[in-house]
Amino acid sequence: MNETLKLIGVTDTQTDLFEGQYVVPEGMRYNSYLLIDKKTAVFDTVDGSFTNEWLGNVEKALDGKTPDYLVVLHLEPDHSASITAFMQKYPSATVVSSQKAFAMMKNYYGDEYENRRIVVSEGSALSLGSHEITFVAAPMVHWPEVMLAYETTEKLLFSADAFGKFGATCSVDDWACEARRYYFGIVGKYGAQVQSLLKKLADKPINAILPLHGPILTENLGYYVDLYDKWSAYKAENEGVTIAYTSVYGHTKQAAEKLAEELTAKGETVALHDLARGDMAEAVEDAFRYDRLVLATTTYNGDIFPFMRTFIDALTERNYQNRTIGFIENGSWASTAAKVMKGMFEKSKNITFTTANVKITSAVSQENLKEISALAEELQTR
Ligand code: FEO
């Protein structure tokens, strides 16, 4: 940060589940920024659990000045829940946001600030003095009202949820790990919209990306943009095999582990996930990260085991595509798991199914061991 730009966000180490579903063992950052010029602008507020702490940060950073603008780029409550308190504390401030965001603001907080607002849309400009802000519409990255703000003098991109990550750290070390889980969990369905945003940003020189979560990015920005391009185009980031399984009595698990062992021996990268016990979002992340996927589950109530259904739904609703998929099925009678799993991908684009699959009847047999070896062999050639 410098004399004119200050980070005034907060760290959340309390939440059990971010957005009601994602474990965040390393906590969460809700970033907020202050840009000081002839006019002074605050970019986004923070989660309602931290309103007072954040207002204290704002006051300290303002150092006696009065804020002119509150720029609201994203209205999801992790960023907007302190708007009311801010507007009460600073009655001369004007809210700058999109039309859709103002409508949401009224629904969430009972006020859309008709007499204290500037409505912006794609290409709108806001001058703070030597700093000129241009707004870039980013619908569905991650909600429909989202705008990004590009500051042309210092070449700063206020990127809303884009380029954010789970974790409270301000370090960029191992950024991709939790940024990828965050991306595929939260924005993964909207690859087309992210691609469209990246095209709009392509001709803008950027010195720093300032997201609403995670560290500010100032170096090697091509690395982050390239990852976002791959993720949003549904291209595999790395070669490797994700094996996701459920197992009631351990037999399907045994087959999944045997396959993992054989693939590892062949030099393949393998990510093995027990869908009932592990973090589902981590398994989803790996399914998108690697180019091949094996699904192993039991036939259950004429369908498949519930955790596997949830997992496949999580993939297909995020437009899972461009991958090779193999199956391990188990059934003590009337086995239907492989057929059900395959059917769940019928609308998915560019999926290749392996021909060598594994069909277990209750426990892993000698024949199954051969099938596992054949599946490992075929996966290696894909
Ligand atoms: Fe960080 Fe979509 O809210």
Side-chain angles (χ1 to χ4, degrees), residues 36-173:
I36 300 168
D37 202 320
K38 285 182 187 141
K39 299 278 189 182
T40 299
V42 171
F43 289 77
D44 290 291
T45 78
V46 298
D47 185 272
S49 303
F50 303 92
T51 301
N52 289 337
E53 179 187 342
W54 174 72
L55 285 174
N57 292 350
V58 174
E59 188 172 332
K60 190 172 169 204
L62 280 167
D63 195 21
K65 297 182 188 63
T66 304
D68 296 287
Y69 301 115
L70 173 62
V71 179
V72 175
L73 298 177
H74 183 15
L75 206 94
E76 192 163 11
D78 52 333
H79 311 295
S80 69
S82 304
I83 291 175
T84 307
F86 179 92
M87 294 302 280
Q88 282 170 354
K89 181 167 180 179
Y90 298 106
S92 62
T94 298
V95 190
V96 181
S97 197
S98 67
Q99 187 74 58
K100 279 198 176 83
F102 281 114
M104 290 178 174
M105 218 176 283
K106 184 165 189 185
N107 292 336
Y108 268 110
Y109 309 114
D111 201 339
E112 54 186 332
Y113 301 100
E114 283 111 317
N115 302 316
R116 298 174 63 188
R117 74 182 194 184
I118 296 173
V119 180
V120 291
S121 57
E122 175 77 27
S124 295
L126 180 73
S127 178
L128 303 181
S130 64
H131 291 86
E132 303 284 342
I133 311 289
T134 305
F135 290 89
V136 179
M140 302 320 295
V141 188
H142 133 243
W143 277 14
E145 86 296 357
V146 171
M147 307 287 295
L148 271 54
Y150 177 68
E151 194 288 310
T152 55
T153 306
E154 294 193 56
K155 300 177 177 45
L156 310 172
L157 180 68
F158 295 89
S159 64
D161 273 344
F163 301 99
K165 72 187 282 288
F166 295 130
T169 179
C170 289
S171 162
V172 295
D173 291 349

Side-chain angles (χ1 to χ4, degrees), residues 18-19 28 30 74 76-79 142-143 161 182 186 212-213:
F18 177 69
E19 291 192 358
M28 203 66 204
Y30 308 114
H74 183 15
E76 192 163 11
D78 52 333
H79 311 295
H142 133 243
W143 277 14
D161 273 344
Y182 169 90
I186 289 170
L212 289 176
H213 302 289

Side-chain angles (χ1 to χ4, degrees), residues 179-344:
R180 190 189 302 106
R181 187 169 69 97
Y182 169 90
Y183 174 86
F184 283 110
I186 289 170
V187 195
K189 180 179 175 64
Y190 304 108
Q193 288 85 347
V194 174
Q195 283 281 302
S196 152
L197 175 62
L198 292 178
K199 284 189 180 74
K200 285 200 272 185
L201 297 176
D203 64 350
K204 296 190 192 310
I206 297 171
N207 287 336
I209 297 174
L210 300 100
L212 289 176
H213 302 289
I216 294 167
L217 308 174
T218 56
E219 290 177 2
N220 199 15
L221 298 186
Y223 166 75
Y224 306 102
V225 173
D226 184 54
L227 279 179
Y228 255 59
D229 185 35
K230 275 199 184 88
W231 295 344
S232 56
Y234 300 101
K235 292 178 186 159
E237 182 185 333
N238 301 109
E239 289 189 354
V241 183
T242 299
I243 304 174
Y245 70 89
T246 67
S247 192
V248 184
Y249 292 108
H251 303 102
T252 314
K253 176 182 181 182
Q254 184 192 347
E257 287 179 343
K258 178 72 177 142
L259 178 65
E261 186 186 309
E262 292 204 16
L263 287 167
T264 303
K266 288 175 184 294
E268 294 280 358
T269 299
V270 175
L272 184 67
H273 292 277
D274 179 342
L275 296 176
R277 292 174 179 81
D279 174 17
M280 185 76 77
E282 191 91 34
V284 168
E285 170 196 348
D286 278 339
F288 280 98
R289 176 178 187 174
Y290 296 113
D291 58 339
R292 288 153 290 166
L293 172 67
V294 174
L295 301 170
T297 198
T298 39
T299 302
Y300 191 83
N301 286 341
D303 197 79
I304 53 176
F305 206 66
F307 291 100
M308 181 58 78
R309 178 161 281 280
T310 301
F311 178 61
I312 297 175
D313 281 340
L315 298 183
T316 55
E317 77 179 24
R318 288 168 175 77
N319 300 316
Y320 195 71
Q321 55 187 273
N322 305 328
R323 302 292 192 279
T324 294
I325 302 177
F327 299 109
I328 298 174
E329 68 172 328
N330 196 347
S332 295
W333 69 95
S335 189
T336 57
K339 187 174 167 213
V340 172
M341 288 191 284
K342 191 172 181 181
M344 290 180 74

